[in-house]
Amino acid sequence: MRTKRTRSTRRSKVILGVAFILIAALIIRTSIDSISANTKPATTPTATPITSTAATPDTKADTEPPKIRGVKNLTVFIGDRVSYKTGVSVKDNHDTNVALVVDTGGVNLKKAGVYNITYMAKDAAGNVVQAEATVTVKVKPTSPLNEDELNKLADTVLAKIMTEDMTEVDKLWAIFKWTKYNIGYIDSSSHTDWRKGALQGFKQGTGDCFVFYATARTLMERSGFETQTVIRDKGRKTKHFWSLVKVEDAWYHFDTTPTIKKNTTFLLTDAELALFNKQFKNYYLFDKTKHPATPTKPLKERSKYLK
């Protein structure tokens, strides 16, 4: 009995050991399969090829400066507001929005004169362009000048004092007399515009030397004579105005302003003016380099009028 029980016990232990081994093997196999199912094989990364891009016109170096168009010289009156950029534009071969800068630092709109201004534009590449212009500031006229009215007034006078048989000297003498004796001298007028001075002479009949000069000039030029304006701007405290007139292909001084010597300022030579200056200090002192010289001898035909 004892032997049978011992054998039975040994057999049971063997069976249990085998069963344990089988169960352990099954567990291990299941674990390995699970790990294999959840693990992906590693992949070797591949390099992305780099392709080179050829330079396009947009990416090339920009060496061409912008172009400024529409720049011109300006003329304004004192106190006016100026729009310097009106009509001015900038164009660039690459950039679409290039700023325009105007340097007006030297301009004084409160004072008459000629001033320089500079237009400047710069593109993104640093290319710079400049354009120069001037601003002329003038004194604003107090009222518009009607030249047609001036010419009609002059022509009306000429129609009364001229005849067809007159010589050039005769015509000038008629103009000299009318101006000298139809305008009264007063020491007051504006010297800014000779046409306005002439209008004052015709319409008001009074004025200073500027009005006498301007009125006579208008009559002479409407009669076809060539004239030049002569100014005494040194030697005395005040200016004096008169004309040089071309008659018989020569120039002579013509001054209708009343003087102590009644008619002696009609078609004078430079030498005669010099004698006048000795009697009346520096009365006809002027810059001779700005005007043509007169003949050395007086015009013979004028002698009949200087009595």
Side-chain angles (χ1 to χ4, degrees):
M1 285 296 290
R2 187 175 181 180
T3 302
K4 290 182 179 179
R5 185 178 296 176
T6 301
R7 290 177 179 174
S8 177
T9 301
R10 289 178 178 174
R11 189 180 295 116
S12 297
K13 289 181 179 180
V14 171
I15 292 171
L16 289 173
V18 172
F20 178 79
I21 292 171
L22 291 174
I23 292 171
L26 180 61
I27 292 172
I28 293 171
R29 176 66 181 270
T30 302
S31 298
I32 292 173
D33 291 342
S34 177
I35 293 172
S36 298
N38 294 325
T39 303
K40 294 181 179 180
T43 58
T44 302
T46 58
T48 302
I50 300 175
T51 58
S52 60
T53 303
T56 64
D58 289 339
T59 59
K60 290 181 179 178
D62 179 15
T63 59
E64 183 177 342
K67 295 180 180 179
I68 301 177
R69 298 175 177 176
V71 173
K72 60 183 179 180
N73 297 330
L74 304 174
T75 300
V76 299
F77 293 111
I78 291 177
D80 283 355
R81 297 180 63 182
V82 184
S83 179
Y84 296 99
K85 295 183 180 180
T86 299
V88 181
S89 61
V90 180
K91 187 176 182 180
D92 188 65
N93 66 323
H94 186 274
D95 301 328
T96 58
N97 188 18
V98 179
L100 176 66
V101 178
V102 188
D103 181 4
T104 61
V107 179
N108 185 355
L109 295 176
K110 296 181 180 180
K111 183 178 180 181
V114 180
Y115 305 95
N116 296 320
I117 58 175
T118 302
Y119 292 81
M120 191 272 285
K122 181 179 180 181
D123 63 17
N127 301 306
V128 178
V129 63
Q130 291 186 347
E132 307 294 331
T134 61
V135 178
T136 301
V137 181
K138 294 184 175 182
V139 177
K140 184 178 293 186
T142 55
S143 61
L145 176 67
N146 189 336
E147 289 197 25
D148 289 337
E149 180 186 14
L150 175 60
N151 292 336
K152 288 179 180 179
L153 289 169
D155 291 344
T156 299
V157 172
L158 292 172
K160 294 178 180 179
I161 65 176
M162 297 290 189
T163 59
E164 293 182 358
D165 60 344
M166 283 183 168
T167 65
E168 287 188 342
V169 175
D170 291 335
K171 292 178 181 179
L172 289 171
W173 176 249
I175 293 171
F176 184 90
K177 282 198 308 180
W178 188 93
T179 308
K180 196 175 188 73
Y181 299 113
N182 283 275
I183 298 177
Y185 187 89
I186 59 171
D187 193 14
S188 176
S189 74
S190 172
H191 299 170
T192 57
D193 190 330
W194 69 271
R195 296 173 184 84
K196 288 186 177 181
L199 273 176
Q200 180 177 330
F202 287 122
K203 298 178 73 173
Q204 299 180 20
T206 58
D208 62 6
C209 65
F210 187 81
V211 172
F212 281 84
Y213 138 78
T215 306
R217 172 181 173 176
T218 303
L219 292 171
M220 287 190 290
E221 291 184 352
R222 292 297 291 175
S223 299
F225 290 98
E226 184 179 353
T227 71
Q228 288 190 14
T229 302
V230 190
I231 304 175
R232 180 192 69 209
D233 53 6
K234 57 184 178 180
R236 288 200 173 194
K237 293 182 179 180
T238 59
K239 292 183 178 181
H240 182 59
F241 298 83
W242 71 96
S243 294
L244 273 167
V245 58
K246 194 172 187 180
V247 53
E248 297 181 0
D249 294 324
W251 292 92
Y252 294 90
H253 295 276
F254 188 97
D255 185 10
T256 57
T257 304
T259 60
I260 296 175
K261 291 192 173 184
K262 194 172 182 181
N263 293 328
T264 54
T265 53
F266 175 64
L267 300 181
L268 297 179
T269 64
D270 290 339
E272 289 175 312
L273 281 193
L275 291 175
F276 201 99
N277 284 336
K278 289 183 178 180
Q279 292 180 295
F280 305 94
K281 187 176 180 180
N282 296 331
Y283 190 85
Y284 285 116
L285 191 64
F286 67 101
D287 188 351
K288 294 182 179 180
T289 63
K290 296 181 179 180
H291 304 284
T294 68
T296 56
K297 295 182 178 181
L299 190 65
K300 290 183 179 180
E301 190 179 346
R302 68 150 195 183
S303 60
K304 62 182 178 181
Y305 298 117
L306 302 183
K307 296 179 180 179

